[in-house]
Amino acid sequence: MGWWDDIPDERYWLEATDRDDIGTDLRAPLSDSGGRTNWRYALFRDANPGDVVFHYDGNAAAITSRSVIAGPPFEQPITWSARGSYARERGAVPVEVPGYAMPLRDHRKLTEPVTLASLRADRIALDKIEKSLRKSHPGKPLYFPFELSDRPVRPMQGYAFKLPAAFVRHFQMAPASPETPELTISRDRRRVTRLFRVWREAILGDATRGNGLWEQPVERFFFRNQDERTSQRLGPRTALGIDPTGKDWAVQINEAKNPGDLDITSAIAFDPAGRPFLIRQGRLAANAVSPKPILYEEFAKLTGLRSARVANGDSRIFRDWYVVTPLDIPADGIRAKTGQFVDACAAARRAAGDGVSDPSVNSIEIGSGDERGGLFTSPARPALPERQLRRLQGEVWVAMARVLRKAGLYVGKPRHAGGYEVDAEIVGGGHEFLVEIKSAAAAADVHTGVGQLLLYQALIPRLAQHRRILLLPALPKDALVKAIERYEITVCTYRLTRKARSVKVEFSTEFLDLFAAGVAE
């Protein structure tokens, strides 16, 4: 338990990094080079959606911007390079490691950056903030982001830190107005064609193909050519959604034949600094999910998105434009931003179809497709050749679904329209279960799993009475198991054995006995 627990105002964090795509997401290894869980990497897993994370940019030596955490952590391989003097001495290079990521939204520059020079000049205030915290929370680690010793103030070595609310108040860390900068739609056919190609290549990266659809396995959205499904090439008219059949699309993003024509719904725009953006009008055509069109004011209300200022975006009628994604960030960032926009459009459609007025305060549930096991290809990156990785959690899910469906139970994956996806709902024979699967049993994994089970039941009230199961590859220590069980969560285990070209998953008797009689491997 952190010192900030039960203090509503303490919802601020600090990312210390020199990455070039700040604000895309948070990402860090699951363990340090010694294989141990390290709070300097793992601390963000204690943060909650809606918390604010400030970004210390090592290249600028300043806190330059802030974002809002958009969802819980999820595990995925990441490219990581250790930092610090020791890492530099041993010539650390980026490598792919098991990691986690957390989505972000609403990334905005600060009105005034908080520079390292200003922190050093205000050393007395920093000392006062830290001493006050130590007095109020004796014996508890503060995870304070700055070193206060006999040397000049400097950032602590690490990636993830807790930023006290008193720090935010003292330095008046207000974000710049979201209305700036103004965008201008491009009419340059060559530039527009090239940048739409950048977007399509980004969403195709890491995608799997089947039944005429492409699927992004991490961001969990599907897309297809709007007019046909047989071509292996993604054309200029793209339908995107979260329906694994591809039937009920959420939004269409089409490259215009005449760039700059205001009859189009999607465009390429530039800010005053020359940064390119893919933008789309805030209107959705009717389909089976939302029988009536969703237009402008209703689009803003149901998606919760903030429109962009577009200098040449209007003609004789009022039009709202929304940023889908910047196009000068890495491909995985483009995929993440696109996935968030698709989720928002899917939420709007379901809210309109259900007559729900505000998806931020209502439980809007969207079905999700089955998980997949097997291998996926991680593309080559600088200092890292292409390699194949296995979806271990997906392998466990597939094996579980096969066993339980064979016994006649329903196994599905409910998904909240805000992007929060349940690992499994299991129903049958009078049983209703909610299952969270983890591929490791470290304390951080257990903490995250418990939080997810409780969070999902709050987000989707239909699941509130389901029995909660945390499925781990091994049992944690007895004290932790007992603590988990106080929350009426059953801890069960599985065993995963790797083979040359496959894996074998076996479930504990205690897990199988929870369900209908006759469930067996």
Side-chain angles (χ1 to χ4, degrees):
M1 300 288 284
W3 61 264
W4 54 88
D5 290 327
D6 302 322
I7 306 177
D9 194 32
E10 290 294 349
R11 58 189 188 93
Y12 302 106
W13 308 81
L14 185 76
E15 177 193 38
T17 185
D18 58 5
R19 55 193 283 192
D20 57 7
D21 60 344
I22 289 175
T24 300
D25 59 11
L26 302 173
R27 67 181 85 134
L30 294 177
S31 58
D32 60 22
S33 58
R36 299 176 297 271
T37 300
N38 189 322
W39 70 263
R40 297 173 190 270
Y41 299 151
L43 189 64
F44 288 142
R45 302 181 77 167
D46 289 340
N48 297 307
D51 286 359
V52 175
V53 57
F54 289 89
H55 307 284
Y56 182 91
D57 185 350
N59 296 309
I63 303 173
T64 58
S65 60
R66 72 96 168 111
S67 301
V68 178
I69 296 176
F74 57 89
E75 294 182 11
Q76 67 174 30
I78 66 167
T79 301
W80 185 264
S81 177
R83 297 175 177 85
S85 57
Y86 178 70
R88 288 193 295 270
E89 289 172 3
R90 57 188 175 90
V93 298
V95 295
E96 189 161 88
V97 298
Y100 75 92
M102 296 180 74
L104 298 175
R105 61 176 173 84
D106 197 19
H107 178 231
R108 291 157 63 184
K109 297 289 186 183
L110 298 184
T111 304
E112 292 290 338
V114 181
T115 65
L116 183 57
S118 67
L119 292 173
R120 288 173 172 171
D122 212 352
R123 168 65 184 266
I124 294 175
L126 290 179
D127 283 333
K128 183 177 179 180
I129 291 169
E130 188 198 36
K131 288 177 181 177
S132 176
L133 288 173
R134 293 197 181 282
K135 182 179 180 180
S136 301
H137 310 285
K140 290 190 175 183
L142 299 183
Y143 308 112
F144 196 71
F146 297 100
E147 178 185 332
L148 303 177
S149 63
D150 55 355
R151 301 190 298 178
V153 174
R154 65 191 64 207
M156 294 284 287
Q157 287 193 9
Y159 174 70
F161 300 93
K162 178 69 182 70
L163 196 64
F167 184 103
V168 177
R169 289 192 297 269
H170 178 79
F171 288 98
Q172 301 180 5
M173 297 166 66
S177 169
E179 296 185 344
T180 58
E182 191 172 61
L183 305 179
T184 303
I185 294 174
S186 175
R187 293 183 170 87
D188 186 325
R189 183 181 299 277
R190 292 180 62 184
R191 297 179 82 186
V192 169
T193 298
R194 178 178 62 82
L195 287 164
F196 264 104
R197 186 183 305 121
V198 167
W199 175 71
R200 286 194 291 269
E201 289 175 353
I203 66 170
L204 283 168
D206 286 350
T208 59
R209 173 78 167 163
N211 299 320
L213 296 173
W214 286 273
E215 176 192 356
Q216 269 300 334
V218 175
E219 286 77 19
R220 299 291 294 179
F221 67 87
F222 301 83
F223 56 100
R224 59 177 172 85
N225 286 312
Q226 185 177 324
D227 304 319
E228 56 82 30
R229 295 193 180 197
T230 58
S231 175
Q232 298 296 309
R233 175 180 173 272
L234 185 61
R237 296 172 58 81
T238 307
L240 305 97
I242 60 173
D243 175 9
T245 70
K247 179 182 177 182
D248 295 327
W249 40 265
V251 62
Q252 297 171 349
I253 295 180
N254 302 327
E255 181 178 349
K257 293 182 180 179
N258 299 306
D261 183 346
L262 289 179
D263 287 334
I264 63 178
T265 56
S266 306
I268 302 298
F270 292 85
D271 71 6
R275 291 193 67 198
F277 296 82
L278 172 61
I279 63 174
R280 194 190 187 282
Q281 285 194 33
R283 56 187 174 106
L284 299 173
N287 71 0
V289 178
S290 51
K292 295 181 180 180
I294 301 172
L295 304 177
Y296 305 113
E297 289 185 5
E298 186 181 18
F299 181 91
K301 181 179 180 180
L302 296 181
T303 62
L305 298 176
R306 182 181 287 114
S307 61
R309 295 179 65 208
V310 178
N312 56 345
D314 288 339
S315 58
R316 291 173 299 175
I317 63 172
F318 173 78
R319 302 169 191 265
D320 270 343
W321 292 89
Y322 294 81
V323 172
V324 178
T325 179
L327 294 172
D328 61 348
I329 61 176
D332 56 353
I334 292 175
R335 289 193 290 273
K337 294 292 186 183
T338 300
Q340 292 168 17
F341 188 80
V342 171
D343 276 342
C345 292
R349 288 194 179 279
R350 180 55 61 94
D354 291 347
V356 177
S357 61
D358 186 354
S360 67
V361 297
N362 289 276
S363 168
I364 302 172
E365 184 186 342
I366 304 171
S368 185
D370 286 2
E371 288 201 21
R372 299 184 180 185
L375 300 172
F376 67 95
T377 298
S378 176
R381 299 183 178 94
L384 184 68
E386 179 182 281
R387 59 186 297 204
Q388 284 195 317
L389 303 169
R390 185 169 293 281
R391 301 183 180 95
L392 295 182
Q393 180 169 315
E395 296 281 6
V396 177
W397 196 97
V398 169
M400 178 185 69
R402 182 175 61 246
V403 170
L404 298 183
R405 286 171 176 171
K406 185 178 179 181
L409 282 76
Y410 165 82
V411 181
K413 286 179 63 64
R415 181 181 187 185
H416 187 271
Y420 314 119
E421 187 173 270
V422 175
D423 274 355
E425 177 190 15
I426 301 169
V427 179
H431 303 294
E432 292 182 331
F433 294 92
L434 186 63
V435 180
E436 181 65 28
I437 303 170
K438 291 297 172 186
S439 56
D445 301 284
V446 174
H447 296 164
T448 302
V450 169
Q452 286 172 298
L453 286 168
L454 299 174
L455 176 66
Y456 295 149
Q457 289 187 314
L459 287 169
I460 307 177
R462 183 181 65 78
L463 306 177
Q465 301 304 315
H466 284 36
R467 183 172 174 181
R468 298 183 286 263
I469 301 174
L470 183 60
L471 189 55
L472 304 171
L475 284 175
K477 294 181 178 180
D478 287 345
L480 189 53
V481 172
K482 291 179 181 178
I484 296 168
E485 290 176 343
R486 292 176 187 170
Y487 290 94
E488 298 182 347
I489 296 174
T490 302
V491 183
C492 296
T493 61
Y494 65 88
R495 182 172 65 183
L496 187 147
T497 306
R498 300 176 188 243
K499 298 183 178 180
R501 294 183 175 275
S502 64
V503 299
K504 181 181 179 181
V505 181
E506 300 172 287
F507 297 97
S508 66
T509 302
E510 291 77 10
F511 179 72
L512 297 177
D513 284 348
L514 293 172
F515 306 102
V519 177
E521 293 284 5

